[in-house]
Structure formats: C-alpha cells, structure tokens
Amino acid sequence: MSKLRSIETSFKGAAPHFVGDGFRVSQYFPAGKNLLTRFSPFILLDYNQPHYFEPSEARRGVGAHPHRGFETVTIAYDGKVEHHDNSGNHGVIGPGDVQWMTAGSGVLHKEYHEEQFSKDGGMLHMIQLWVNLPNKYKMTKPKYQPITKENISVYKLSNHEGEIKVIAGEVKGVKGPASTFSKMNIYNVCLKNHGKVILNEPSEFNTGILIINGEMKINNDSIYKENDFILFDNVEGEIILESVSEDSLAIVLSGEPLNEPVIAHGPFVMNTESEIIKAYEDYNSGKFGQLNF
Ligand code: MN
C-alpha cells in the first residue's frame, strides 16, 4: 500500500467581514489561522461563501487601492465581478473564470460587481487568494492574466467520477493556463458521489485543500465538509479524496515555499520593514499613479 500524506491540521475561516460593500469574506489565513510562512507562497485566503446580494443601482465593491509585492488571484464560482487597474487592464469574470493579477512593483485597482449583476442581484461566490512573489520578482512590471473557463484545462476522471480543472501548474499531465513566478499547482477537484481521486503533490510543496461544496473523505479516514480547510504535512505520500455527498468540490493549493522573510502590512507584502516603508512613501507620493483612473 502506498504511503498517505498525513493531515497536519484543519480549520475554518474567521467570522465573515465586508471588504468594501461588495464582498462578504471569511478570511482563512492569516486571520482564521496565522500560518506566517508555513503555507508559502500563499499568504492570504479570503473566501466569499455563497452570499445573495439584492438588486442595486449602485455598484457594490471596493474602490481604488494599491498593492505591491505579490499577486491577487480571484476565482469565481458564482456571480460576476469587474476589475479595472491603472495599468489599463480591465476585465469581467463570471462562474468558472479566474483573474490573475500580478501587482509586482505596484498597481492601483478597483473591484466591483459587474453592472448587470448589480442590477439583477444574485449569488456571489468567489475566492481571492494572495500569492507571494519571490524577492527577485517583487518589483516586476504589473501584469494581468484573464483566464476564462474555456481556457482552463480539464482532466476527466475515469468512470465519470468527476474532473479536475487545472488553473496553474500541472496535474496528471494536464497543464493549467496561468503563468506563475514560482512552482505551484492550483486546481479545482469536482467529484460525483463516491467519485475518488488520488493526488500526488511533491512533499516539499506546501499543500492545502478548501472544501467548497459537499463532503469529502480524505485518505480513507476522516470526513470534511464545505468550509473546512485541510493543511497537509510535508511528507511523501498520496492524498486520496472521495466524495461522500451528491457532488462535491474542493480547491487544492499547493506550492513550493519561497523560504524568504515575509513582512506584510495592509496591501503590501515585502521582505523587509524598510521595503514596506518605501511602499507607503511611493504610494503617498503618487508613484503608483493617480487614483481617478
Ligand atoms: Mn485588491
């Protein structure tokens, strides 16, 4: 029998709070559990669990704000969100789409409910993940990757047990469309009832799973439910996921740790205190650009 990759801990997100007036998020880390560099290169996970927004003429969301030193990855499960940044990038993402923004040296952006979605109202269900940049790429030019669901690679499990939708990295020979600055695998695992999959993540990768929907038995042992986050030990071994509810869905985050100091303050994530001070100075002196883009 193959070795299994054991579970270090599982936890839930912090009590939900609003980001602007458009996103009701439960923060898994660092607020729910302060993982510091334990889950590098992933530094923050905000989960907007399914939440109904009433129809509104006013657009809900977050106004212009800066970021530097990392990437924001927004993964939509339901609802539509629109993005603008001062590098001239603009996009709308809906169910199944992903927006991968590299803040790098500095970007100002705003994130709003898409216009028609605001007017109609509806369920919003999405994730925003912050992925740290290695020191040598912290000041890289800002970049924007719109990844539509049509571009996301799909690995079909045998016997119609489900599928794996690969956003970044490679799973079972299938490569995801996102370009990344360090090695990582990010993918959604969709399983039918009793659908089963064996995952093989490198032991040195920090690996965690957030259950989005349904219930899954992990490693033929414990059952975890939606909103549970499971962090695995860095040991050699397979991860076995089995759906024990009708349909289930989980997102797997797995990446090679950067092994660099992390100093995070507000919207900036750098390696030293002085780089954080510099980020505030640059932002306050207008080096990130004008707020009214
Ligand atoms: Mn932002």
Side-chain angles (χ1 to χ4, degrees):
M1 220 180 110
S2 313
K3 272 173 64 177
L4 296 172
R5 188 155 169 183
S6 49
I7 291 170
E8 178 175 306
T9 186
S10 69
F11 57 95
K12 289 184 195 297
H17 73 279
F18 266 86
V19 176
D21 62 358
F23 305 94
R24 183 180 179 270
V25 306
S26 170
Q27 189 168 97
Y28 277 68
F29 49 86
K33 191 169 183 70
N34 195 351
L35 298 169
L36 294 171
T37 57
R38 170 63 187 88
F39 201 46
S40 173
F42 309 108
I43 38 186
L44 178 147
L45 177 66
D46 271 350
Y47 180 30
N48 189 131
Q49 288 148 351
H51 181 77
Y52 179 76
F53 284 91
E54 297 285 345
S56 163
E57 285 303 316
R59 301 275 291 277
R60 295 188 181 93
V62 210
H65 60 278
H67 291 300
R68 173 182 277 179
F70 63 100
E71 303 182 283
T72 64
V73 179
T74 309
I75 300 161
Y77 293 100
D78 216 349
K80 278 189 169 181
V81 171
E82 191 163 357
H83 160 97
H84 283 94
D85 68 42
N86 68 334
S87 306
N89 293 306
H90 167 238
V92 173
I93 57 166
D97 300 333
V98 174
Q99 179 217 284
W100 196 298
M101 186 188 79
T102 307
S105 61
V107 82
L108 296 166
H109 78 153
K110 43 193 178 187
E111 300 159 281
Y112 282 98
H113 293 190
E114 185 265 340
E115 191 169 7
Q116 197 59 48
F117 176 72
S118 286
K119 286 182 179 159
D120 295 344
M123 294 298 284
L124 189 70
H125 183 196
M126 53 182 52
I127 279 177
Q128 189 169 90
L129 174 71
W130 290 12
V131 178
N132 206 359
L133 284 169
N135 174 267
K136 63 176 173 181
Y137 296 117
K138 283 213 174 276
M139 296 299 276
T140 192
K141 199 166 156 271
K143 189 168 97 172
Y144 179 82
Q145 300 176 68
I147 300 170
T148 60
K149 64 170 182 285
E150 292 78 18
N151 294 326
I152 290 175
S153 320
V154 179
Y155 175 85
K156 298 248 181 228
L157 300 174
S158 55
N159 305 320
H160 305 283
E161 289 187 84
E163 57 189 22
I164 299 175
K165 297 176 181 172
V166 188
I167 297 166
E170 185 173 341
V171 185
K172 300 190 184 291
V174 172
K175 286 190 171 131
S179 87
T180 64
F181 289 86
S182 63
K183 285 186 202 159
M184 69 191 74
N185 301 317
I186 299 180
Y187 47 97
N188 281 299
V189 177
C190 317
L191 295 174
K192 301 284 180 199
N193 195 6
H194 297 298
K196 205 169 184 175
V197 64
I198 295 173
L199 307 176
N200 296 283
E201 289 297 327
S203 58
E204 68 274 17
F205 277 28
N206 287 328
T207 302
I209 296 179
L210 174 65
I211 311 236
I212 304 287
N213 214 338
E215 296 182 21
M216 285 188 186
K217 188 187 269 187
I218 300 187
N219 292 346
N220 301 318
D221 185 17
S222 306
I223 291 173
Y224 293 89
K225 294 182 165 80
E226 54 193 26
N227 304 330
D228 285 335
F229 189 94
I230 301 101
L231 178 66
F232 293 86
D233 287 315
N234 290 82
V235 294
E236 208 76 49
E238 297 175 333
I239 294 171
I240 305 174
L241 300 182
E242 181 187 356
S243 178
V244 290
S245 60
E246 272 297 294
D247 283 312
S248 58
L249 170 64
I251 186 163
V252 179
L253 309 175
S254 185
E256 186 175 59
L258 300 181
N259 294 320
E260 291 173 353
V262 176
I263 307 288
H265 202 279
F268 307 126
V269 182
M270 304 302 289
N271 300 113
T272 66
E273 295 281 357
S274 60
E275 287 166 349
I276 292 287
I277 293 167
K278 181 78 166 65
Y280 277 102
E281 280 171 3
D282 288 350
Y283 171 59
N284 290 326
S285 64
K287 287 197 180 130
F288 279 59
Q290 297 298 315
L291 280 167
N292 57 338
F293 55 90

